[in-house]
Amino acid sequence: MRPATLDDFVGQSHLLAPRSALRAAIESGHPHSMVLFGPPGTGKTTLARMVARHAEAAFEELSAVQAGRAEVRALLERASERRRGGGHTVFFLDEIHRFNKAQQDALLPAVEDGLVTLIGATTENPYFEVNNALLSRSQVYELRALEPEDVEALLRRALARELDVAGLDVADDVLAFLAARSGGDARSALNALELAVDTARRAGRGAVELADAEDAMQRKAVLYDKAGDQHYDYISAWIKATRGSDPDASLYYLAAMLEGGEDPRFIVRRMIVLASEDVGNADPRALEVAVAAAGAVEHVGLPEAQFALAQAAIYLSLAPKSDAAKRSILAARAHIAEAGAESPPAPLRSAAGGAGKRLGRGVGYDNPHLVPGHVNQQEHLPEGREDLRFYRPDDAETTFRERLDRLRAARGRDV
């Protein structure tokens, strides 16, 4: 199932787009040493093989889990013999982070001398796990987990080209389930598809059923359509459960969406909205938590970002609730839409530039910082609109309500 050309390579478009540095280096046949960093099943080994193929070089592969100095020394001797004959060697070292400092240092002369083009693969952050001396002689490329649509494309390619499914029907929902549950790991999805096909054939059935795919992945299918009713029903249920201060139900619907392959960015956007719409100033930190969760989704991604999403869901569920902010802005906008917007009082208008001041703008402004208590008596609403009141804090915003009452009283305004 490994692609024969770069055009067949699925995913990693951020690295292999036309005219990108990595693609140009591969296609030129003059690759450089590199470290490929990313989750399992994202194409690190496949990419290394394609580098060797384009360079017309021998491909030597070792796993740092099993290889020691003797294996590396033997490989370098073969590379040296190959170079004497005009050949070149691409050395693919899987799980390079498992080599200790001394083992990594032993590779430096061969890399520096150009005896081998080293391609290290790791699931760990190479800036913490690989020696600086080796990193300085290599380029680090981060591979990303495949999107479900990428994995599904690979599964369909397997059915069309390689996998023996003669006499068997594999439904779209089976492929969609395997793609969504693979966690962006193409190898895991392909293995599960092969196992599901074998299971159906041994059972004498004419089709691979969803139960076969569930058994192969050891996970239950969640009926979830990201473009259909479930997409809206589950997020609606999550919002209402969280608004209802039920953390267990909130986590249930959050888990259902994640299991269904929902985009975590869609979920966290609703969390940010809920933090202001349903919690508001009853707990101003709710918005900070939701925004921080959004940052975690962008910087960490799934699966680890699920913990930040869960933390935010629990916080939002248990936070005191108030929709005063929502009611206030909707009331203000409804008034503007119906009655229009009057010009601000002259003292509040901008006096920037001499012309504005000559027209009386900004004249008579009473700066509250020059008044004891930092509360002035000036009217801030337009003339004829002095009695408008939009913000009406409820019982969950007692601190804000009490402060507002004191401020309005100090300014001589009706509550």
Side-chain angles (χ1 to χ4, degrees):
M1 282 308 302
R2 298 193 192 279
T5 68
L6 283 172
D7 289 334
D8 287 338
F9 196 96
V10 173
Q12 315 311 330
S13 58
H14 65 295
L15 296 179
L16 297 174
R19 296 186 295 278
S20 66
L22 178 57
R23 185 173 187 131
I26 295 174
E27 291 180 335
S28 72
H30 299 286
H32 48 264
S33 292
M34 63 189 78
V35 175
L36 303 177
F37 159 46
T42 52
K44 296 187 290 293
T45 305
T46 296
L47 198 54
R49 289 181 178 274
M50 297 188 83
V51 168
R53 185 180 303 118
H54 278 80
E56 298 181 347
F59 184 76
E60 296 266 12
E61 180 177 1
L62 289 177
S63 171
V65 175
Q66 300 169 326
R69 286 191 177 185
E71 289 81 4
V72 173
R73 190 180 302 112
L75 185 151
L76 296 179
E77 288 174 0
R78 292 194 298 273
S80 182
E81 181 67 26
R82 195 173 289 123
R83 185 163 69 170
R84 283 194 289 270
H88 188 62
T89 302
V90 170
F91 174 21
F92 177 66
L93 181 58
D94 197 16
E95 300 197 68
I96 188 174
H97 62 278
R98 297 296 187 101
F99 263 14
N100 60 35
K101 184 179 185 302
Q103 289 172 307
Q104 291 183 30
D105 284 344
L107 299 174
L108 288 174
V111 173
E112 200 162 45
D113 184 44
L115 177 61
V116 297
T117 296
L118 175 67
I119 302 180
T122 177
T123 57
E124 305 295 328
N125 190 328
Y127 294 104
F128 296 122
E129 304 294 340
V130 179
N131 291 355
N132 288 336
L134 201 54
L135 285 179
S136 69
R137 293 162 176 81
S138 309
Q139 182 69 41
V140 176
Y141 295 106
E142 182 176 1
L143 281 71
R144 299 169 183 167
L146 299 180
E147 296 294 331
E149 53 267 28
D150 293 330
V151 178
E152 188 168 343
L154 283 172
L155 296 178
R156 293 187 184 280
R157 184 188 296 173
L159 292 176
R161 296 184 185 177
E162 303 291 337
L163 197 57
D164 180 14
V165 290
L168 280 178
D169 176 56
V170 183
D172 289 344
D173 63 341
V174 169
L175 298 179
F177 167 74
L178 292 174
R181 296 304 185 279
S182 65
D185 184 339
R187 186 185 302 110
S188 171
L190 288 166
N191 287 339
L193 175 61
E194 188 172 22
L195 179 57
V197 167
D198 288 343
T199 301
R201 181 170 283 121
R202 285 196 301 270
R205 293 194 300 273
V208 178
E209 299 175 356
L210 192 57
D212 300 323
E214 290 176 342
D215 185 50
M217 292 294 287
Q218 288 298 298
R219 301 178 75 172
K220 286 292 183 185
V222 176
L223 296 177
Y224 193 90
D225 180 1
K226 289 191 287 183
D229 290 343
Q230 292 91 350
H231 171 77
Y232 299 103
D233 288 345
Y234 275 88
I235 196 63
S236 175
W238 179 83
I239 290 169
K240 290 168 182 172
T242 308
R243 180 187 294 148
S245 301
D246 189 336
D248 299 304
S250 178
L251 289 168
Y252 178 88
Y253 295 119
L254 173 62
M257 288 187 287
L258 292 174
E259 283 293 304
E262 182 60 81
D263 185 348
R265 290 168 294 189
F266 168 75
I267 299 172
V268 82
R269 284 196 295 268
R270 302 313 305 172
M271 289 183 168
I272 293 173
V273 172
L274 185 139
S276 292
E277 181 179 359
D278 294 299
V279 178
N281 288 317
D283 183 353
R285 288 208 61 205
L287 183 58
E288 297 177 18
V289 171
V291 171
V297 167
E298 293 299 329
H299 291 293
V300 179
L302 292 176
E304 290 85 353
Q306 66 180 310
F307 308 127
L309 291 172
Q311 178 183 351
I314 293 168
Y315 192 100
L316 294 171
S317 296
L318 297 180
K321 304 299 187 295
S322 170
D323 67 346
K326 171 186 175 181
R327 287 186 286 104
S328 300
I329 188 60
L330 292 181
R333 294 193 65 173
H335 172 82
I336 296 296
E338 180 179 347
E342 294 290 332
S343 296
L348 268 62
R349 298 175 72 179
S350 173
K357 201 160 191 177
R358 284 194 296 273
L359 292 171
R361 295 176 180 175
V363 176
Y365 173 58
D366 185 10
N367 191 331
H369 295 303
L370 304 179
V371 180
H374 299 268
V375 179
N376 62 22
Q377 296 293 314
Q378 192 154 50
E379 180 57 60
H380 299 116
L381 283 165
E383 185 177 354
R385 302 284 199 268
E386 296 87 352
D387 294 332
L388 289 175
R389 299 290 182 268
F390 299 118
Y391 178 44
R392 301 186 183 280
D394 54 31
D395 292 341
E397 295 184 357
T398 54
T399 301
F400 281 73
R401 185 170 61 190
E402 292 168 359
R403 176 165 172 74
L404 180 61
D405 288 347
R406 289 196 302 270
L407 286 170
R408 284 176 174 167
R411 299 182 63 242
R413 302 301 190 271
D414 294 334
V415 177

